Amino acid sequence: MSKKQIGGLIIAVILFIITGITSLFTNAAVKHTFMSDIDKTVLNTKVQNTPTENYIAVVPITGTIEAQKEESVFEISQGYQHQTILDFVDQLMDDPYNQGILLYLDTPGGAVYESDELYLKLEQYKEITGRKVWSYMSHVAASGGYYISMSSDKIYANRNTITGSIGVIISGVDMSGLYEKLGIRYYSATSGDYKDSSKMNENQLQILQGMVDETYEQFVDVVSKGRNMPEEEVKKLADGRIYTAAQAKEKNLIDEIASYEDVTAQMGQELGATEFFEMEMKQPVISSFFSKIEKIVPKSEAEVLNNIKNEQKNGRLMYYAEQLQ
C-alpha cells in the first residue's frame, strides 16, 4: 500500500469518527430540544424493563441523597438518582408482577427535601398496593439513609454496618477573611438585615437553629412511627451519634443483623417471589470518560474555593452524617 493510500485511509477514518460523534451529539440535542412531553411519556411508559413474572424490586439508595442532575449529551446522573427512583416506584405501583421492594442502602444521608420525598413515596407505595418494603443496610445507612428506611416493614443490617446519626445539620463557610488575604472584595445591597449571610451573626444563627430544630422534630416523629417507639425514647438516641449494627439492634433501631443473601432468601420465601430485579442505574461511557478527564485537569484557586463552598452543602438543611465524610 502506497503512502498516498495510507494517508487517504487515515483521513477517512478520522472523518468517520468525526461524523459519528457529530451525529451522536446532534441527535441527542434534537431529542432533548424538540421532543414534547407527550412524546417523552409515550417512549418512557416503563422506566425499567421489569420481569413478567412475580418479582421483588431492589432499589439502590447509594451515595449522597440529593436532587438528580439534569441529563445532557455529555453527562447522565450517576450515583444516587432521585427522580429515576421516584419514577420507578410509581411504575411498581401499577405492576401486578411486583410483590414488594427491597431497599439496598449504602449512604451517609443527604438533603432533607429528597430524603423526605422518597420516604413519603414509599409510604404511598405501601398504602396503595398493600405490599411490603424491607431495608438492607450495607456499609453505611446513616441520617437521611436511616430516615428513608423508616418506611420499611423490616430493617436488616450487615454486621459491619454503620447507621444512626439521627439529626439535622445546616452548614456553610465564612470565607471573608480568606477573600481579604487574596484581595477579593465582596459586596452586596440587601433589602433587610438577614438577607446576606456571608458574615453570619448570632441573630442569623438563631434563625437557622430554629429551622434545624423544626426539621429535627420531623425526623424524631418519623423514627417514632417507623420503630413504634415513644418520642422521648427516640430523642435519647437522636443526638447525631452513629451506631454499629450490634448497637442499633440493641437499641431497637433495626430488626436483625444478617447477610444480603440471607435477607433475599427470607424475603423471597415470605413474599412468594424468587426473582429479584435490581433497578438499573444509568452510567454511560461518555459521562465516565469526561469525569475522569475532569479529575486530572489542574484546578484554579477560584475553582478550589468554589469546591470548598459546595462541599459545605450550600447552607441546605441536611440529614447527613458529617462524621462519615
Side-chain angles (χ1 to χ4, degrees):
M1 185 178 290
S2 67
K3 290 183 178 180
K4 285 186 177 181
Q5 289 175 316
I6 294 174
L9 181 61
I10 293 173
I11 292 172
V13 170
I14 293 173
L15 289 174
F16 177 78
I17 293 173
I18 292 173
T19 302
I21 294 175
T22 302
S23 176
L24 173 65
F25 288 174
T26 301
N27 289 338
V30 169
K31 178 181 177 181
H32 182 74
T33 304
F34 296 107
M35 183 180 289
S36 67
D37 290 338
I38 295 177
D39 292 334
K40 289 180 182 178
T41 302
V42 171
L43 293 177
N44 296 304
T45 51
K46 290 189 72 174
V47 179
Q48 306 277 324
N49 292 318
T50 51
T52 54
E53 58 182 312
N54 288 351
Y55 71 94
I56 294 167
V58 180
V59 178
I61 314 296
T62 58
T64 301
I65 300 164
E66 57 189 350
Q68 186 165 337
K69 294 179 181 178
E70 185 178 353
E71 298 178 6
S72 69
V73 176
F74 298 97
E75 182 177 12
I76 296 178
S77 297
Q78 300 185 47
Y80 178 74
Q81 297 179 12
H82 185 67
Q83 191 58 51
T84 302
I85 291 173
L86 294 178
D87 292 342
F88 183 44
V89 176
D90 279 332
Q91 176 183 326
L92 295 176
M93 291 185 202
D94 297 325
D95 188 346
Y97 294 109
N98 172 249
Q99 302 301 304
I101 291 177
L102 175 60
L103 302 177
Y104 181 91
L105 295 146
D106 191 359
T107 172
V112 165
Y113 183 94
E114 281 74 23
S115 299
D116 187 54
E117 187 172 36
L118 180 52
Y119 164 78
L120 293 175
K121 178 64 70 174
L122 291 165
E123 287 289 293
Q124 180 187 16
Y125 165 87
K126 290 170 58 178
E127 181 179 353
I128 290 176
T129 65
R131 302 169 196 157
K132 301 293 186 181
V133 173
W134 287 21
S135 280
Y136 174 77
M137 297 177 172
S138 180
H139 302 86
V140 178
S143 211
Y146 187 74
Y147 186 102
I148 291 170
S149 75
M150 291 301 97
S151 62
S152 300
D153 299 282
K154 292 186 180 181
I155 301 176
Y156 293 84
N158 184 277
R159 66 180 184 176
N160 297 307
T161 295
I162 298 297
T163 187
S165 189
I166 301 170
V168 190
I169 184 171
I170 182 169
S171 60
V173 178
D174 183 351
M175 306 185 75
S176 56
L178 182 58
Y179 283 165
E180 186 175 338
K181 287 184 178 181
L182 295 175
I184 301 173
R185 178 174 172 264
Y186 173 83
Y187 63 90
S188 65
T190 69
S191 57
D193 295 337
Y194 301 108
K195 187 65 177 174
D196 188 353
S197 61
S198 61
K199 294 182 179 180
M200 190 70 66
N201 58 43
E202 287 302 316
N203 289 335
Q204 289 171 310
L205 282 173
Q206 286 301 315
I207 292 172
L208 295 182
Q209 187 62 54
M211 297 170 62
V212 167
D213 293 343
E214 181 179 328
T215 313
Y216 170 77
E217 292 295 333
Q218 176 178 295
F219 202 155
V220 169
D221 178 63
V222 165
V223 175
S224 176
K225 293 176 180 176
R227 299 305 298 164
N228 193 26
M229 295 169 61
E231 290 192 0
E232 295 75 18
E233 292 298 317
V234 174
K235 286 184 177 181
K236 292 178 183 178
L237 307 173
D239 56 4
R241 75 182 67 187
I242 53 179
Y243 298 100
T244 65
Q247 291 169 340
K249 172 71 165 59
E250 179 185 357
K251 298 178 187 303
N252 192 34
L253 293 175
I254 64 172
D255 293 301
E256 298 292 344
I257 297 173
S259 68
Y260 181 74
E261 290 74 16
D262 289 341
V263 173
T264 53
Q266 185 175 338
M267 189 176 187
Q269 182 178 11
E270 188 169 320
L271 302 189
T274 57
E275 183 169 357
F276 284 78
F277 174 81
E278 183 171 348
M279 184 186 123
E280 299 170 1
M281 308 298 281
K282 301 175 182 178
Q283 294 184 335
V285 175
I286 190 168
S287 175
S288 176
F289 173 73
F290 281 108
S291 176
K292 289 178 180 178
I293 289 179
E294 184 181 13
K295 290 180 181 177
I296 64 175
V297 174
K299 293 181 173 59
S300 67
E301 291 180 352
E303 288 175 316
V304 171
L305 291 175
N306 189 56
N307 287 344
I308 292 174
K309 289 177 68 177
N310 289 337
E311 287 172 2
Q312 298 303 311
K313 312 300 179 290
N314 297 320
R316 289 180 296 164
L317 285 165
M318 303 288 288
Y319 292 141
Y320 191 80
E322 290 285 336
Q323 313 97 312
L324 301 175
Q325 279 189 307

